[in-house]
Amino acid sequence: MSQTIEDLTAILEGTPELTVSEPEPGFPVIDVQTPVSAATIALHGAQVLTWAPTDHPPVLYVSPKARMTPGTALRGGIPICWPWFGNHPEDPAKPAHGFARTRFWELVSGDLVGKVATIVFKLVPDEETKALFPYDFELTATIRIADKLRVKLQMRNTGEESYQVSSALHTYLSLGDIERIQLEGVKGSHYVDQLSDDKEPVYQEKNLQIKGEVDRIYQSMSSVLIRDLDRFRSVFVDKAGSRSTVVWNPWKEKSKEIKDLPDKAYREFVCVECANAGTDRPTLRPNGSHTLETVIGLRPLN
Ligand code: TA6
């Protein structure tokens, strides 16, 4: 962590709605209070941890067993998976989902204009990232908090060689009860089942109801709408710069195996990730860039 609490506080000077706290020593977060919502964002991974419109239950899920440990992925919110999604394509010894979510980003700016707070973070290479990914890049994460939550990841190739990336805004959505939701927006698309050795795309005939472990890369550019009957609300996940949507729920057995998830956690969340995953892998040419964006918000149930 190169910026001190004083550095962070100085950058946010003049905007009392944006403050810095340390839920764990050495793990600073920015607490955001807008006139219509509240959020917390960790400098570690530029990870949105919580967001909800005022007087609403949380929209994002964070595991009660999540670890605020530098270098370790924090289970919940919106982890930024980059420069690869899932296991490294050639070297499984490299960290799953890349390194962007386990490094401290630099806080560039934070402000509140009207009802919208905008916080900008940046990540550039160092020796550790070069050992994992021998290329130059500049990542900018722009997070806009209001009655919707917008996370924009701009990735720029600042080097001389082209390279491919895969990525995801790995959003954990908080639910009343996994068995009382319907996921709309994937009907009519095809998905690759990550739980199967058969990688032939499968047609999704109907809206998705989750009755077991799901780990799918949908080949879709569409928005997703989760109808949460238990909380009597719908949550929408819009996206841009993404041809693939990952839907994941670990269900019972996997929940028990995952150390930073309570055994029953599978009932309380589903991941709907706007991604560049599977065959959707942008190539960044020298000075080229790609933007991946998700917008999350609430709608009435019907
Ligand atoms: O997004 C789905 C997935 O790739 C699953 O396969 C599961 O591994 C999940 O991500 C969580 O990954 P993590 O490394 O955060 O435990």
Side-chain angles (χ1 to χ4, degrees), residues 244-293:
S244 44
T245 299
V246 179
V247 177
W248 177 59
N249 182 281
W251 209 247
K252 296 178 184 166
E253 292 320 310
K254 223 17 105 58
S255 267
K256 285 182 191 146
E257 290 167 20
I258 296 174
K259 286 194 291 296
D260 54 357
L261 263 187
D263 290 356
K264 296 262 189 272
Y266 71 95
R267 302 200 66 86
E268 300 172 27
F269 78 90
V270 63
C271 285
V272 178
E273 308 160 34
C274 98
N276 300 127
T279 54
D280 171 21
R281 288 161 50 88
T283 297
L284 299 184
R285 304 196 187 295
N287 212 29
S289 62
H290 176 70
T291 298
L292 180 62
E293 185 166 13

Side-chain angles (χ1 to χ4, degrees), residues 73 75 85-86 96-97 101 170 172 194 215 246 248 258 271 273:
R75 179 84 51 203
F85 172 80
H97 293 318
R101 65 176 181 167
H170 196 297
Y172 284 75
Q194 300 286 80
D215 192 349
V246 179
W248 177 59
I258 296 174
C271 285
E273 308 160 34

Side-chain angles (χ1 to χ4, degrees), residues 108-289:
V108 174
S109 63
D111 64 32
L112 178 76
V113 177
K115 295 180 178 174
V116 184
T118 301
I119 298 102
V120 180
F121 300 89
K122 189 170 287 190
L123 184 71
V124 293
D126 60 20
E127 296 72 52
E128 287 174 14
T129 65
K130 288 262 179 155
L132 293 167
F133 181 71
Y135 299 105
D136 289 315
F137 61 86
E138 180 179 85
L139 293 187
T140 304
T142 304
I143 298 162
R144 285 199 174 83
I145 294 137
D147 56 352
K148 291 185 290 245
L149 171 64
R150 181 185 291 263
V151 177
K152 178 162 75 172
L153 176 67
Q154 292 162 290
M155 44 193 100
R156 196 159 67 82
N157 178 349
T158 54
E160 311 290 321
E161 295 173 74
S162 294
Y163 51 79
Q164 272 194 318
V165 295
S166 54
S167 51
L169 300 175
H170 196 297
T171 302
Y172 284 75
L173 294 174
S174 174
L175 304 172
D177 180 344
I178 189 74
E179 294 195 76
R180 300 194 67 218
I181 66 158
Q182 173 164 284
L183 192 151
E184 300 176 4
V186 293
K187 183 166 79 171
S189 66
H190 288 78
Y191 65 87
V192 173
D193 186 350
Q194 300 286 80
L195 302 173
S196 165
D197 293 335
D198 178 359
K199 296 305 175 192
E200 196 56 33
V202 178
Y203 182 66
Q204 178 72 41
E205 271 184 62
K206 298 183 185 139
N207 290 325
L208 179 61
Q209 290 182 320
I210 296 177
K211 306 276 185 217
E213 185 179 357
V214 169
D215 192 349
R216 300 175 178 178
I217 300 177
Y218 282 91
Q219 296 162 348
S220 166
M221 295 170 72
S222 302
S223 299
V224 163
L225 185 74
I226 304 235
R227 293 190 185 282
D228 184 335
L229 301 175
D230 194 76
R231 285 200 175 147
F232 208 67
R233 71 184 188 187
S234 293
V235 183
F236 66 83
V237 180
D238 292 347
K239 65 176 191 171
S242 161
R243 289 186 172 78
S244 44
T245 299
V246 179
V247 177
W248 177 59
N249 182 281
W251 209 247
K252 296 178 184 166
E253 292 320 310
K254 223 17 105 58
S255 267
K256 285 182 191 146
E257 290 167 20
I258 296 174
K259 286 194 291 296
D260 54 357
L261 263 187
D263 290 356
K264 296 262 189 272
Y266 71 95
R267 302 200 66 86
E268 300 172 27
F269 78 90
V270 63
C271 285
V272 178
E273 308 160 34
C274 98
N276 300 127
T279 54
D280 171 21
R281 288 161 50 88
T283 297
L284 299 184
R285 304 196 187 295
N287 212 29
S289 62

